[in-house]
Amino acid sequence: KYKNKQSNYKIKCFISFLSAGSSNVFKVVGDSVQLEIKESASEFDDFFWTFNTTVNILKYYKNRKEIIHSPRYKHRVEFNNKTCSLILKNLQKNDSGPYEVKASNALQTTTATYRLSVLDPVEPPVLTVYNTTDPCNITLTCRGHDLSINSTCYKKTCEEKEVTSSAGVALSLSVRNSIIICNHSNPASWKQENIIIALTHLCAHTDPVEPPVLTVYNTTDPCNITLTCRGHDLSITSSCYRKTCRRRT
């Protein structure tokens, strides 16, 4: 008898408690979230889901195939008894907080913890382009909620900027292939406004022009001459007959 008691004691000493750590999850109001255990569900018999440590969500006893819903969550929760994952639907801001699942069998218990943050979706940003008295320069303003960015483009180069609030809301101004992008985001959502601007056209007409070349050609007709005017990649050909020349642009 003494040997049996000692053997049972040794078995109990091998019961372990494993923690899978905590994961941060961000969702938008009205979304759903799927929370899973970190280990293989087939290894465990009993599963307990709680919110904020003390609020029961669901209990599942695999051997009895029994699912017990909390009345508070009964119509908002879907439970997959194969993967033992939990889906919480129609999220609201007051659903933010820590969620924990405990999975256990005769020898061990494992936990997985999620910290859920339910956020409002960000508002669409507003991107505005202002011309200045300098034809080589434009001013850009990117606004989103209570954040704002002012920047400039000079010739083909634009100044890219980004600001982030203490609440994790970010506003950025960037340029990709002549597309100016104003992006407004938080950890759960993002929206942007784009404006296409031909940056190569800035200052296109401010560089000094080359002197044109005018050429006069005599023809076999003594009353007629041919004129050619060339400048950079442009060319005009005209003619004069007696005292009259054709005007062309």
Side-chain angles (χ1 to χ4, degrees):
K1 292 183 178 178
Y2 177 78
K3 289 182 179 180
N4 288 338
K5 288 183 179 179
Q6 190 176 34
S7 177
N8 290 338
Y9 176 75
K10 289 181 179 179
I11 291 175
K12 289 179 181 178
C13 285
F14 281 101
I15 296 176
S16 62
F17 187 87
L18 304 175
S19 175
S22 179
S23 300
N24 291 323
V25 180
F26 299 92
K27 290 291 180 178
V28 171
V29 171
D31 274 358
S32 299
V33 63
Q34 180 169 313
L35 307 176
E36 302 174 338
I37 67 170
K38 305 295 185 181
E39 308 293 332
S40 173
S42 61
E43 299 178 9
F44 301 96
D45 302 320
D46 301 326
F47 301 84
F48 302 92
W49 286 93
T50 58
F51 168 63
N52 207 18
T53 306
T54 59
V55 180
N56 292 323
I57 300 175
L58 182 142
K59 296 180 181 180
Y60 175 57
Y61 301 95
K62 186 165 62 176
N63 293 335
R64 306 200 304 260
K65 295 183 179 180
E66 181 183 8
I67 299 175
I68 302 175
H69 290 88
S70 165
R72 173 177 172 179
Y73 291 96
K74 185 173 182 179
H75 300 292
R76 295 180 54 211
V77 164
E78 290 181 4
F79 181 71
N80 186 321
N81 56 14
K82 293 182 179 180
T83 63
C84 296
S85 60
L86 185 79
I87 297 177
L88 184 59
K89 301 180 292 184
N90 191 24
L91 294 172
Q92 303 300 313
K93 285 186 178 181
N94 57 9
D95 290 318
S96 297
Y99 290 78
E100 183 181 68
V101 57
K102 290 184 179 180
S104 61
N105 57 29
L107 298 179
Q108 67 176 347
T109 297
T110 185
T111 66
T113 304
Y114 296 87
R115 179 161 292 277
L116 175 65
S117 298
V118 183
L119 308 172
D120 287 322
V122 294
E123 301 171 355
V126 177
L127 176 61
T128 309
V129 179
Y130 301 95
N131 293 319
T132 68
T133 55
D134 182 352
C136 298
N137 190 50
I138 59 173
T139 299
L140 309 172
T141 300
C142 172
R143 293 187 179 91
H145 192 49
D146 56 352
L147 297 176
S148 179
I149 292 175
N150 292 317
S151 184
T152 58
C153 293
Y154 181 73
K155 293 186 176 180
K156 299 179 183 180
T157 303
C158 297
E159 185 181 12
E160 299 185 328
K161 291 183 177 181
E162 181 175 355
V163 293
T164 304
S165 73
S166 58
V169 179
L171 190 69
S172 65
L173 186 66
S174 58
V175 180
R176 299 290 181 272
N177 298 324
S178 294
I179 302 176
I180 299 175
I181 304 168
C182 176
N183 190 80
H184 189 205
S185 65
N186 63 21
S189 66
W190 63 272
K191 289 185 175 69
Q192 64 179 216
E193 182 179 0
N194 302 334
I195 293 179
I196 299 176
I197 293 181
L199 297 175
T200 55
H201 289 180
L202 291 180
C203 286
H205 303 293
T206 59
D207 293 330
V209 295
E210 300 174 357
V213 177
L214 177 61
T215 307
V216 179
Y217 300 95
N218 293 318
T219 67
T220 57
D221 183 351
C223 297
N224 189 47
I225 59 173
T226 300
L227 309 173
T228 300
C229 177
R230 294 185 178 89
H232 191 49
D233 55 353
L234 300 175
S235 178
I236 294 174
T237 299
S238 185
S239 62
C240 294
Y241 181 71
R242 293 186 176 179
K243 298 180 180 180
T244 304
C245 298
R246 287 193 299 167
R247 176 180 293 182
R248 301 185 64 182
T249 58

